[in-house]
Amino acid sequence: MSIRNKALFFGIINCISLCTLQQPIYAQSANKPIVKTAAGYIRGVQENNCFVFKGIPYAAPPTGARRFLPPVPHTHWKDTLECVTFGSPSAQYGNNEKPVNGSEDGLFLNVYTPSISPKAKMPILIWVHGGSMVAGSGMGENGHAFADRDSIVTVTINYRLGVFGFLYLGDLGVPYRTSGNNGLLDLIQSLKWVKENIKALGGDPDRVTVMGESAGAKLSSALIATPLAEGLFSGVILESGGFQCIRDTTTAIGIRTRLMDKLKVKEPKDLLKLPTAQLIKAQAAVLVGAQGTNYFGPVMDGIVLQDSPYSYIDQQGKDKVHYLLGANQAESRGFMDIDTRLYHPDTTVIRDWFGINYPHVLQSYQQRLKKTQNDTTAAMDILSEYMYKMHTYRLADRLAKNNRSTFVYRFAFTEEREPATHGGELKFVWYLPEQENYTTLEKKFGPELHKYWVNFIRNGDPGTVNNVNWPMYKSDNHSIIVLDKVTRPEQLKQIFNNPEAPSACFLLN
């Protein structure tokens, strides 16, 4: 596994490039641009070939009286706000010595832009980071990858994580009825900020693509299923994630009960004023490492998410949004390396990972084992299907059946003996040849994959790269593209799907 992928998995458990555009309309100096936003002026810095504004507060701090409540816009500030360093990550587990990394005041975003002329009207990419809904931050990927060469305004965001972003407290009364979706509401609030302010930063508010990977993709998928996000984006890229983290209230309350048991509290209201560190430490104990990958996520609360996400797509029918989604060849392999019980899965470990869904997974594994006679191969295949692939293709099918513009990939590129696992595509999506040690083959493959993403962000269609066209996915032909040493279109003969398995990856009763 590469160093980058190891970092990803261990994180789960614990000068202007557009020279033809006008010069900045607000600029104190060439390398310290100043821009006016709805809440006040912000000062950034010039880095490489673009301007960067870091740590912009897109919502009021969700602390004090606003703890566990929906986000609200930030109040106006009088003086120019220095936005030259990243803001605090949202509160998450650190380590035994320092259990809390970041703080509850973490609703910041970062903007990388080649120009701050309102006339630039460049396409916009919003990055939603992964990390099992309990880890990570917007600074985890480098916006220069799209801003410096591709003339794409890149926005990376933080959102509330774990108990602060997804703890269901709807039974405590009206103020908390959407608490299980605070992280999703944070994402929506950041999109509203972009809609209102991005023109001053060179972006076109009508060309916004939201992109997430892993938990970031799972969270971003919920935008497709809520009326609160309609009109805020024109494209969605989901890398290894679909609706599998959208939970019912029974499961959400079940996770809350586990948390309360760890904290030895009897009433949900007792959680409201507990210190950050105490909540984060209990959360980490409930997650028990990587097996908690799908414990937290958006909740079908009847308000933000009113119905089954698939039913919502059917109700909405065709829309103008473009969709690009996919999964990797061996999604589960990295998780198997973390939780080695998965190499020889039994009822206990599968129940830990999938809750009451475990019989579906166990039965499929046993059937595959009879065919392959190889524990590792059978486990890797079936776990990859139930963790990611099945949910990706289910979503692609439903989008295509509703005549939505849909493009699907399978990422299979690797130079190692190990197959392409979870997160393997990230170093190529965020292709920065001067900052990564790419091999000769990676230097050929990386620009190809990156160009497909750029085309999609610009045009809503990944198009053709090096004479290889990416076909649109249709419900009757299942045309995808295989991203490998030799990238090629492929028409799938069949897609794995267990119709008895619920849409949520992890469920409790």
Side-chain angles (χ1 to χ4, degrees):
M1 193 187 304
S2 69
I3 292 175
R4 182 176 188 140
N5 282 347
K6 285 182 180 178
L8 173 67
F9 291 122
F10 286 115
I12 287 173
I13 35 181
N14 312 297
C15 202
I16 304 171
S17 65
L18 295 181
C19 59
T20 59
L21 298 176
Q22 294 185 3
Q23 294 298 310
I25 56 172
Y26 303 108
Q28 188 180 59
S29 66
N31 62 351
K32 289 201 174 179
I34 298 177
V35 169
K36 185 179 181 181
T37 71
Y41 287 92
I42 57 174
R43 180 184 287 112
V45 66
Q46 185 171 7
E47 292 181 357
N48 301 337
N49 293 323
C50 71
F51 299 108
V52 184
F53 298 82
K54 302 175 182 177
I56 304 172
Y58 68 82
T63 56
R66 296 225 54 82
R67 206 181 192 212
F68 296 108
L69 296 182
V72 296
H74 200 286
T75 55
H76 193 277
W77 50 82
K78 293 182 180 180
D79 298 325
T80 299
L81 190 67
E82 294 289 335
C83 294
V84 297
T85 57
F86 292 112
S88 169
S90 291
Q92 56 195 272
Y93 185 72
N95 53 50
N96 289 335
E97 295 181 359
K98 184 184 177 185
V100 179
N101 176 30
S103 72
E104 291 187 48
D105 181 9
L107 298 186
F108 301 99
L109 57 78
N110 317 294
V111 179
Y112 301 74
T113 179
S115 171
I116 52 175
S117 167
K119 295 183 179 180
K121 294 184 177 180
M122 292 173 286
I124 301 156
L125 171 64
I126 313 292
W127 170 245
V128 186
H129 69 81
S132 297
M133 307 279 182
V134 296
S137 74
M139 72 178 86
E141 294 293 348
N142 192 333
H144 287 291
F146 287 95
D148 284 8
R149 297 184 183 87
D150 304 307
S151 301
I152 292 172
V153 179
T154 305
V155 182
T156 68
I157 73 162
N158 295 351
Y159 53 91
R160 275 175 284 181
L161 302 166
V163 295
F164 302 106
F166 305 100
L167 182 65
Y168 181 73
L169 298 166
D171 46 355
L172 293 186
V174 172
Y176 301 101
R177 60 184 181 170
T178 60
S179 61
N181 285 307
N182 278 334
L184 173 58
L185 292 171
D186 293 342
L187 171 55
I188 293 172
Q189 181 62 35
S190 74
L191 292 175
K192 291 178 178 178
W193 187 95
V194 167
K195 192 80 170 178
E196 185 175 19
N197 295 288
I198 207 65
K199 185 175 180 181
L201 290 151
D204 181 349
D206 294 324
R207 287 201 291 165
V208 175
T209 297
V210 180
M211 178 169 75
E213 185 269 343
S214 192
K218 297 169 190 174
L219 181 59
S220 298
S221 77
L223 296 173
I224 307 170
T226 175
L228 301 184
E230 289 183 13
L232 295 177
F233 56 94
S234 58
V236 179
I237 299 175
L238 306 178
E239 301 171 26
S240 302
F243 289 153
Q244 66 261 49
C245 251
I246 295 178
R247 307 168 294 158
D248 57 28
T249 54
T250 299
T251 298
I253 291 173
I255 292 296
R256 186 183 74 187
T257 300
R258 292 184 181 187
L259 182 74
M260 292 170 60
D261 289 344
K262 289 290 181 184
L263 291 164
K264 294 180 171 56
V265 299
K266 294 183 178 180
E267 299 293 334
K269 65 180 181 180
D270 297 334
L271 298 169
L272 297 178
K273 294 185 179 181
L274 289 179
T276 308
Q278 193 172 350
L279 287 167
I280 290 292
K281 288 175 70 175
Q283 171 185 293
V286 168
L287 295 173
V288 197
Q291 73 180 45
T293 297
N294 291 298
Y295 285 13
F296 285 104
V299 180
M300 286 184 284
D301 57 11
I303 302 165
V304 179
L305 297 170
Q306 301 170 355
D307 200 350
S308 157
Y310 291 105
S311 296
Y312 187 82
I313 290 177
D314 291 339
Q315 293 165 16
Q316 296 301 103
K318 186 176 181 180
D319 66 7
K320 296 181 180 179
V321 177
H322 304 280
Y323 303 88
L324 187 156
L325 61 162
N328 296 0
Q329 184 71 36
E331 290 278 5
S332 65
R333 186 57 181 267
F335 298 101
M336 293 166 68
D337 289 342
I338 297 171
D339 186 347
T340 55
R341 297 179 301 163
L342 293 173
Y343 275 94
H344 309 282
D346 58 17
T347 299
T348 299
V349 65
I350 295 180
R351 184 188 285 119
D352 286 346
W353 279 77
F354 297 93
I356 61 173
N357 287 342
Y358 83 90
H360 305 298
V361 185
L362 184 60
Q363 183 180 37
S364 294
Y365 164 70
Q366 291 170 342
Q367 291 171 347
R368 186 64 58 90
L369 183 58
K370 289 178 181 178
K371 292 181 180 179
T372 64
Q373 299 297 310
N374 184 299
D375 274 15
T376 298
T377 300
M380 184 173 65
D381 289 349
I382 292 302
L383 292 172
S384 293
E385 295 288 0
Y386 279 94
M387 286 179 176
Y388 292 97
K389 290 182 179 181
M390 182 174 70
H391 304 282
T392 292
Y393 285 110
R394 278 182 176 179
L395 178 52
D397 266 356
R398 193 60 62 93
L399 293 170
K401 285 176 181 176
N402 283 279
N403 296 311
R404 300 196 185 187
S405 173
T406 306
F407 299 89
V408 179
Y409 71 85
R410 180 171 74 245
F411 179 82
F413 178 90
T414 178
E415 287 190 86
E416 304 171 1
R417 291 184 179 180
E418 299 295 327
T421 189
H422 190 67
E425 82 287 356
L426 285 171
K427 65 186 291 187
F428 305 111
V429 171
W430 298 87
Y431 187 68
L432 277 169
E434 66 276 14
Q435 295 188 25
E436 292 268 4
N437 293 320
Y438 292 95
T439 67
T440 300
L441 189 57
E442 288 175 337
K443 288 178 180 178
K444 176 183 179 298
F445 174 77
E448 293 177 0
L449 184 148
H450 180 77
K451 181 63 175 174
Y452 281 123
W453 264 243
V454 168
N455 289 346
F456 181 84
I457 294 164
R458 286 178 177 166
N459 309 311
D461 187 330
T464 301
V465 177
N466 291 343
N467 297 317
V468 179
N469 181 66
W470 188 327
M472 186 177 290
Y473 184 91
K474 299 287 187 181
S475 59
D476 59 351
N477 66 17
H478 300 151
S479 293
I480 69 167
I481 198 163
V482 179
L483 299 166
D484 203 346
K485 297 182 184 71
V486 178
T487 292
R488 62 195 183 277
E490 183 175 304
Q491 188 167 318
L492 302 178
K493 295 181 180 179
Q494 62 181 20
I495 293 170
F496 178 90
N497 184 33
N498 182 347
E500 296 182 2
S503 63
C505 191
F506 177 85
L507 283 180
L508 294 174
N509 54 18

